[in-house]
Amino acid sequence: MALKTILITGGAGFIGSCHVRMLLSQGDVKVVNLDNLTYAGNLDSLPSNDKNHVFVQGDIGDSELVRGLLAKHKPEAVINFAAESHVDRSIDGPIAFVETNVLSTVRLLKEVTEHWDTLTAPAKDGFRFLHVSTDEVYGSLGEQGMFTETTSYSPRSPYSASKAASDHFINAWHHTYGLPILLTNCSNNYGPYQFPEKLIPLMILNALDGKKLPLYGDGLNVRDWLFVQDHCEAISVVLEKGIVGECYNIGGNTEKTNREIVQTICSIVDSISPLANGQSHESLIEFVKDRPGHDRRYAVDTTKIRTELGWHPRFQFADAIHDTVTWYVENPQWVGRVQSGEYQQQRLGLGS
Ligand code: NAD
Ligand code: TDX
């Protein structure tokens, strides 16, 4: 029987690579992985030799390339992970966020729609375009309440504004052209292979190196945390069972202040690699200038995906954060190549 083919975009990034590894481990899916290898893309996070994995270095906004890939591989689904994803970078340089998260995403949508238009039943009916988005599009919460799928969009950073724009285009493409879309809005992910600009891997690696642990503002901003494997499983469930045109919130029901997160990481690192002076790694915490426009709290109501699609997270925070810290300790080669910048030689065609 022919394998199912899925076009994954951004599959060399943190969540996309987890999804690619998960699909390949199932053995019954061919993955075409389109990623232009920005600083966030890393081929070290992917299997180097799997016959069901076709890696293509390229931009989702390269219409000719995307057209050719769709015609050649005829995927049953496209999952769009490709994006500029870091809020701090969006504050320093918003244009790249508009270029990728809005313009290139719309170019991708246009090519996918033209391809879908050429299909006939049953391939046309079964086709899906799943866009991976974030809870940040809903804005910021006070001490109470949670985001539901009907919460109005109120993005407040250049990153979340660009993701909100892409979500609107995804919905518009469904309503205007009939493209069978699915949309997911997920909370903060953590786990292995995350680039150390994000809170959790940054704090793990700084603690292990005995460096300062910079907490923005008072450290009391709240995020809901989900282990990356849970997110990828939720995406597969939405792809398989989600109703076309619908949006599904995904989250871990694990609200933590940033300070709690860092304290947890410190106590794990204390047990693995104690500081020479006998103090806890918490002594390395430093309160620094707040992020401009820093959203105070995110919390996600996941009733819809739980009750309608039967998904729920499998991983407990206490176990998964411990395993995440251990992963960074046990993978010095991945970490070292990221820290030295060597991993980027791949995209320059200099490495193997
Ligand atoms: P990431 O930054 O780790 O990876 C993004 C990947 O996309 C990289 O491999 C990069 O090379 C690639 N890419 C960027 N621009 C591209 C382009 N124009 N063409 C092709 N490839 C391109 O991001 P991530 O954390 O894995 O996030 C993946 C998706 O999930 C994003 O859409 C993000 O908005 C969303 N999301 C992330 C989180 C989180 O906590 N990390 C939470 C919810 C939603
Ligand atoms: O050094 C730091 N110190 C600090 O206090 C960093 C990098 C972050 N923080 C704070 C800011 C946030 O309140 O920690 C929290 C998490 O920060 P990030 O890891 O940058 O994530 P966030 O801004 O919440 O956005 C993330 O989750 C939602 C992802 O980057 C997005 O792609 C996703 O959509």
Side-chain angles (χ1 to χ4, degrees):
M1 206 178 97
L3 296 180
K4 183 175 176 143
T5 301
I6 300 186
L7 174 61
I8 302 277
T9 71
F14 166 50
I15 306 172
S17 70
C18 178
H19 206 83
V20 170
R21 293 190 305 272
M22 183 182 82
L23 291 178
L24 293 175
S25 74
Q26 292 167 5
D28 57 353
V29 181
K30 176 177 153 190
V31 173
V32 180
N33 184 351
L34 174 63
D35 193 303
N36 67 350
L37 298 181
T38 68
Y39 80 94
N42 188 342
L43 292 180
D44 292 351
S45 306
L46 290 164
S48 54
N49 197 7
D50 188 312
K51 64 180 184 351
N52 294 334
H53 183 213
V54 179
F55 182 82
V56 180
Q57 182 174 350
D59 196 301
I60 55 168
D62 183 339
S63 302
E64 205 179 316
L65 174 66
V66 170
R67 199 175 312 142
L69 287 176
L70 292 166
K72 180 174 174 191
H73 297 286
K74 300 180 178 51
E76 279 92 339
V78 176
I79 307 179
N80 184 31
F81 290 95
E84 289 292 339
S85 72
H86 192 44
V87 174
D88 291 330
R89 285 183 192 251
S90 82
I91 295 167
D92 295 341
I95 301 300
F97 286 70
V98 179
E99 277 169 357
T100 285
N101 301 357
V102 187
L103 279 175
S104 289
T105 303
V106 172
R107 290 196 178 101
L108 172 70
L109 266 174
K110 187 170 174 292
E111 287 311 315
V112 171
T113 306
E114 282 173 17
H115 169 74
W116 174 73
D117 269 336
T118 66
L119 300 176
T120 50
K124 187 163 188 168
D125 301 331
F127 188 86
R128 297 286 182 270
F129 182 98
L130 191 154
H131 180 66
V132 179
S133 191
T134 169
D135 60 356
E136 299 195 16
V137 297
Y138 298 121
S140 182
L141 292 164
E143 284 183 13
Q144 302 295 319
M146 292 180 129
F147 302 131
T148 72
E149 286 80 358
T150 56
T151 302
S152 299
Y153 274 30
S154 179
R156 290 151 43 105
S157 72
Y159 164 69
S160 55
S162 68
K163 291 296 289 186
S166 69
D167 292 7
H168 289 315
F169 277 106
I170 303 300
N171 284 320
W173 247 250
H174 174 61
H175 289 287
T176 308
Y177 307 106
L179 184 70
I181 65 97
L182 293 158
L183 174 60
T184 56
N185 293 87
C186 188
S187 60
N188 286 55
N189 284 212
Y190 66 100
Y193 300 99
Q194 188 169 27
F195 191 78
E197 64 185 350
K198 306 278 164 52
L199 179 74
I200 287 185
L202 178 81
M203 294 299 173
I204 294 172
L205 294 181
N206 278 14
L208 287 168
D209 288 345
K211 292 187 184 155
K212 294 282 185 200
L213 308 175
L215 270 176
Y216 297 162
D218 60 8
L220 297 180
N221 298 63
V222 174
R223 298 290 182 265
D224 170 57
W225 292 95
L226 182 71
F227 190 55
V228 62
Q229 177 79 25
D230 275 326
H231 185 185
C232 293
E233 289 177 14
I235 287 169
S236 284
V237 169
V238 172
L239 189 63
E240 197 188 318
K241 299 200 238 167
I243 295 171
V244 165
E246 293 279 313
C247 151
Y248 295 89
N249 281 352
I250 304 171
N253 206 17
T254 303
E255 283 185 57
K256 306 269 181 206
T257 64
N258 295 331
R259 205 162 156 175
E260 286 172 308
I261 291 288
V262 175
Q263 285 169 333
T264 303
I265 290 168
C266 285
S267 90
I268 300 167
V269 176
D270 284 346
S271 66
I272 298 176
S273 170
L275 280 177
N277 64 11
Q279 290 188 323
S280 164
H281 286 81
E282 278 190 44
S283 60
L284 299 172
I285 292 176
E286 183 178 56
F287 291 91
V288 299
K289 191 168 168 289
D290 209 354
R291 171 186 282 174
H294 195 176
D295 286 341
R296 191 63 173 171
R297 175 173 166 258
Y298 305 139
V300 185
D301 182 336
T302 56
T303 307
K304 182 175 175 181
I305 189 170
R306 285 171 190 258
T307 56
E308 294 184 13
L309 305 187
W311 173 86
H312 58 89
R314 288 194 298 120
F315 294 87
Q316 295 296 321
F317 181 76
D319 300 329
I321 189 71
H322 194 280
D323 291 350
T324 301
V325 175
T326 308
W327 186 88
Y328 280 92
V329 172
E330 290 177 350
N331 286 277
Q333 202 189 350
W334 188 93
V335 170
R337 282 172 55 81
V338 167
Q339 287 177 330
S340 68
E342 248 178 291
Y343 78 105
Q344 285 195 300
Q345 289 177 359
Q346 306 153 334
R347 81 185 159 108
L348 302 171
L350 301 173
S352 55

